[in-house]
mmCIF file of all heavy atoms in Angstrom:
data_model
loop_
_atom_site.group_PDB
_atom_site.id
_atom_site.type_symbol
_atom_site.label_atom_id
_atom_site.label_comp_id
_atom_site.label_asym_id
_atom_site.label_seq_id
_atom_site.Cartn_x
_atom_site.Cartn_y
_atom_site.Cartn_z
ATOM 1 N N GLU A 128 -10.496 -12.374 12.628
ATOM 2 C CA GLU A 128 -10.056 -11.349 11.739
ATOM 3 C C GLU A 128 -10.798 -10.048 11.944
ATOM 4 O O GLU A 128 -11.934 -10.110 12.478
ATOM 5 C CB GLU A 128 -10.204 -11.812 10.278
ATOM 6 C CG GLU A 128 -11.648 -11.954 9.777
ATOM 7 C CD GLU A 128 -11.757 -12.356 8.371
ATOM 8 O OE1 GLU A 128 -10.784 -12.818 7.805
ATOM 9 O OE2 GLU A 128 -12.864 -12.254 7.887
ATOM 10 N N ASN A 129 -10.089 -8.939 11.646
ATOM 11 C CA ASN A 129 -10.828 -7.625 11.736
ATOM 12 C C ASN A 129 -11.905 -7.482 10.788
ATOM 13 O O ASN A 129 -11.828 -7.964 9.633
ATOM 14 C CB ASN A 129 -9.783 -6.499 11.628
ATOM 15 C CG ASN A 129 -9.150 -6.451 10.186
ATOM 16 O OD1 ASN A 129 -8.672 -7.424 9.727
ATOM 17 N ND2 ASN A 129 -9.178 -5.295 9.600
ATOM 18 N N THR A 130 -13.028 -6.822 11.157
ATOM 19 C CA THR A 130 -14.213 -6.648 10.314
ATOM 20 C C THR A 130 -14.221 -5.277 9.658
ATOM 21 O O THR A 130 -15.083 -5.075 8.825
ATOM 22 C CB THR A 130 -15.481 -6.829 11.103
ATOM 23 O OG1 THR A 130 -15.594 -5.749 12.113
ATOM 24 C CG2 THR A 130 -15.550 -8.165 11.745
ATOM 25 N N GLU A 131 -13.282 -4.449 9.995
ATOM 26 C CA GLU A 131 -13.193 -3.094 9.372
ATOM 27 C C GLU A 131 -11.728 -2.673 9.117
ATOM 28 O O GLU A 131 -10.814 -3.242 9.689
ATOM 29 C CB GLU A 131 -13.874 -2.142 10.394
ATOM 30 C CG GLU A 131 -13.227 -2.114 11.748
ATOM 31 C CD GLU A 131 -14.124 -1.518 12.843
ATOM 32 O OE1 GLU A 131 -15.127 -0.956 12.612
ATOM 33 O OE2 GLU A 131 -13.684 -1.707 14.014
ATOM 34 N N ALA A 132 -11.605 -1.748 8.310
ATOM 35 C CA ALA A 132 -10.229 -1.216 8.036
ATOM 36 C C ALA A 132 -9.676 -0.447 9.248
ATOM 37 O O ALA A 132 -10.484 0.114 9.991
ATOM 38 C CB ALA A 132 -10.263 -0.246 6.832
ATOM 39 N N LEU A 133 -8.412 -0.465 9.326
ATOM 40 C CA LEU A 133 -7.685 0.292 10.360
ATOM 41 C C LEU A 133 -6.990 1.423 9.720
ATOM 42 O O LEU A 133 -6.260 1.268 8.852
ATOM 43 C CB LEU A 133 -6.715 -0.616 11.119
ATOM 44 C CG LEU A 133 -5.712 0.178 11.983
ATOM 45 C CD1 LEU A 133 -6.445 0.665 13.222
ATOM 46 C CD2 LEU A 133 -4.529 -0.645 12.435
ATOM 47 N N PHE A 141 -4.339 -1.313 7.263
ATOM 48 C CA PHE A 141 -4.825 -2.552 6.625
ATOM 49 C C PHE A 141 -6.342 -2.515 6.510
ATOM 50 O O PHE A 141 -7.007 -1.822 7.221
ATOM 51 C CB PHE A 141 -4.357 -3.858 7.259
ATOM 52 C CG PHE A 141 -4.463 -3.838 8.841
ATOM 53 C CD1 PHE A 141 -5.669 -4.091 9.420
ATOM 54 C CD2 PHE A 141 -3.347 -3.693 9.593
ATOM 55 C CE1 PHE A 141 -5.785 -4.074 10.816
ATOM 56 C CE2 PHE A 141 -3.477 -3.752 11.017
ATOM 57 C CZ PHE A 141 -4.620 -3.929 11.549
ATOM 58 N N ASN A 142 -6.837 -3.236 5.510
ATOM 59 C CA ASN A 142 -8.276 -3.319 5.215
ATOM 60 C C ASN A 142 -8.906 -4.366 6.059
ATOM 61 O O ASN A 142 -8.253 -5.220 6.744
ATOM 62 C CB ASN A 142 -8.425 -3.567 3.699
ATOM 63 C CG ASN A 142 -7.911 -2.439 2.846
ATOM 64 O OD1 ASN A 142 -8.329 -1.365 3.054
ATOM 65 N ND2 ASN A 142 -7.097 -2.744 1.881
ATOM 66 N N ALA A 143 -10.305 -4.435 5.986
ATOM 67 C CA ALA A 143 -11.001 -5.536 6.703
ATOM 68 C C ALA A 143 -10.472 -6.869 6.209
ATOM 69 O O ALA A 143 -10.209 -6.981 5.065
ATOM 70 C CB ALA A 143 -12.477 -5.356 6.404
ATOM 71 N N GLY A 144 -10.287 -7.774 7.212
ATOM 72 C CA GLY A 144 -9.848 -9.065 6.835
ATOM 73 C C GLY A 144 -8.269 -9.240 6.691
ATOM 74 O O GLY A 144 -7.840 -10.316 6.421
ATOM 75 N N GLU A 145 -7.538 -8.186 6.821
ATOM 76 C CA GLU A 145 -6.069 -8.228 6.663
ATOM 77 C C GLU A 145 -5.317 -8.343 8.012
ATOM 78 O O GLU A 145 -4.133 -8.335 7.910
ATOM 79 C CB GLU A 145 -5.599 -7.023 5.923
ATOM 80 C CG GLU A 145 -6.026 -7.081 4.442
ATOM 81 C CD GLU A 145 -5.426 -5.986 3.600
ATOM 82 O OE1 GLU A 145 -4.957 -4.927 4.206
ATOM 83 O OE2 GLU A 145 -5.452 -6.093 2.387
ATOM 84 N N TYR A 146 -6.034 -8.362 9.108
ATOM 85 C CA TYR A 146 -5.391 -8.653 10.390
ATOM 86 C C TYR A 146 -6.040 -9.970 10.954
ATOM 87 O O TYR A 146 -7.103 -9.905 11.475
ATOM 88 C CB TYR A 146 -5.687 -7.465 11.286
ATOM 89 C CG TYR A 146 -4.877 -7.309 12.535
ATOM 90 C CD1 TYR A 146 -3.592 -7.784 12.657
ATOM 91 C CD2 TYR A 146 -5.442 -6.725 13.706
ATOM 92 C CE1 TYR A 146 -2.805 -7.664 13.841
ATOM 93 C CE2 TYR A 146 -4.663 -6.557 14.910
ATOM 94 C CZ TYR A 146 -3.334 -7.045 14.911
ATOM 95 O OH TYR A 146 -2.613 -6.865 16.080
#
Side-chain angles (χ1 to χ4, degrees):
E128 70 180 11
N129 63 309
T130 63
E131 56 199 349
L133 169 72
F141 45 76
N142 294 307
E145 289 185 344
Y146 194 29

